[in-house]
Amino acid sequence: EIVMTQSPATLSVSPGERATLSCRASQSISSNLAWYQQKPGQAPRLLIYGASTRATGIPARFSGSGSGTEFTLTISSLQSEDFAVYYCQQCDNWPQTFGQGTKVEI
Amino acid sequence: EVQLLESGGGLVQPGGSLRLSCAASGFTFSDYVMNWVRQAPGKGLEWVSSISGSGGGIFYADSVRGRFTISRDNSKNTLYLQVNSLRADDAALYYCAKARSSTRLLGDGFDPWGQGTLVTVSS
């Protein structure tokens, strides 16, 4: 099983600042990585797939990068609605696995 | 608009069973891999199971293999998860999610997700 490790567990930032979230895979997953945003009481929402492609309707301030084992989600200028938990998911092999999440808070 | 509506959750005793359903609309259901993902209260996401568009490809997490059965009825645009021999650690919100792309069994993530159905395991 591929283990996905996200860091940090919690990221404290201010509106307008840049946020950088990391995700590491225990073995190479090429670019088969997705990022999700989850707000309290809501289902997860796909932000990024293929490591760097924004999903439909996702603002340009969200960007993804990386390949192999190291991946990054960057939010260029945090808006109030971006405070949430973010998960990465490897989609390269069964079982598909998620990271434990990064909470972005004020 | 793609919609996924889960149902069938509830309170069940340890060792009990439930059948979860996910009614889909707004897309050609038989073209897409469908998935179940669960989230225990206050915890992260755990992939549970996936099924190919035809139903011929089925995959399970080790934690549920042998106890849970995924299936689909393409004539009814409905996904199912039969959950048997329930344990306390199966208690979670169970989400149904559509594969983002119709062209791959793996690789593109899940989009969208339903709102979930809650399974509570308690005596």
Side-chain angles (χ1 to χ4, degrees):
Chain A
E1 171 177 316
I2 298 173
V3 177
M4 305 301 293
T5 303
Q6 292 186 240
S7 61
T10 304
L11 185 61
S12 298
V13 293
S14 299
E17 289 186 340
R18 181 186 190 93
T20 302
L21 288 66
S22 296
C23 176
R24 174 178 293 178
S26 60
Q27 64 189 69
S28 178
I29 58 170
S30 186
S31 296
N32 295 314
L33 184 99
W35 288 97
Y36 300 88
Q37 176 193 67
Q38 188 178 33
K39 298 179 181 179
Q42 296 186 16
R45 177 175 70 148
L46 179 67
L47 296 176
I48 301 285
Y49 64 92
S52 61
T53 304
R54 278 190 301 277
T56 302
I58 302 303
R61 64 180 181 272
F62 291 92
S63 63
S65 63
S67 66
T69 62
E70 301 284 342
F71 301 89
T72 301
L73 175 70
T74 301
I75 311 171
S76 59
S77 177
L78 271 159
Q79 307 297 303
S80 57
E81 62 266 31
D82 300 334
F83 292 94
V85 179
Y86 293 83
Y87 295 94
C88 62
Q89 176 203 20
Q90 67 84 11
C91 313
D92 188 70
N93 217 333
W94 303 102
Q96 300 189 58
T97 45
F98 291 89
Q100 80 278 20
T102 291
K103 183 178 182 180
V104 177
E105 64 176 25
I106 299 175
Chain B
E1 179 192 5
V2 173
Q3 291 194 332
L4 301 170
L5 184 61
E6 302 95 334
S7 61
L11 173 63
V12 61
Q13 293 184 340
S17 300
L18 286 171
R19 188 194 200 197
L20 309 184
S21 299
C22 171
S25 61
F27 64 102
T28 304
F29 183 69
S30 60
D31 282 351
Y32 289 85
V33 172
M34 295 297 295
N35 310 277
W36 288 100
V37 178
R38 67 184 181 183
Q39 186 170 36
K43 303 297 184 183
L45 302 172
E46 180 187 14
W47 171 79
V48 173
S49 185
S50 299
I51 185 168
S52 65
S54 66
I58 288 177
F59 305 86
Y60 296 104
D62 286 346
S63 58
V64 307
R65 186 176 289 111
R67 300 186 299 121
F68 290 12
T69 302
I70 192 171
S71 62
R72 64 192 297 159
D73 185 335
N74 288 342
S75 69
K76 295 182 177 179
N77 289 349
T78 302
L79 174 72
Y80 302 101
L81 187 69
Q82 179 69 39
V83 296
N84 297 332
S85 303
L86 282 163
R87 312 185 302 221
D89 61 357
D90 293 319
L93 187 61
Y94 283 73
Y95 292 105
C96 160
K98 168 187 160 291
R100 190 204 72 82
S101 167
S102 65
T103 59
R104 301 174 66 181
L105 190 58
L106 272 175
D108 275 352
F110 302 161
D111 182 38
W113 299 51
Q115 286 303 305
T117 187
L118 184 63
V119 173
T120 303
V121 183
S122 176
S123 55

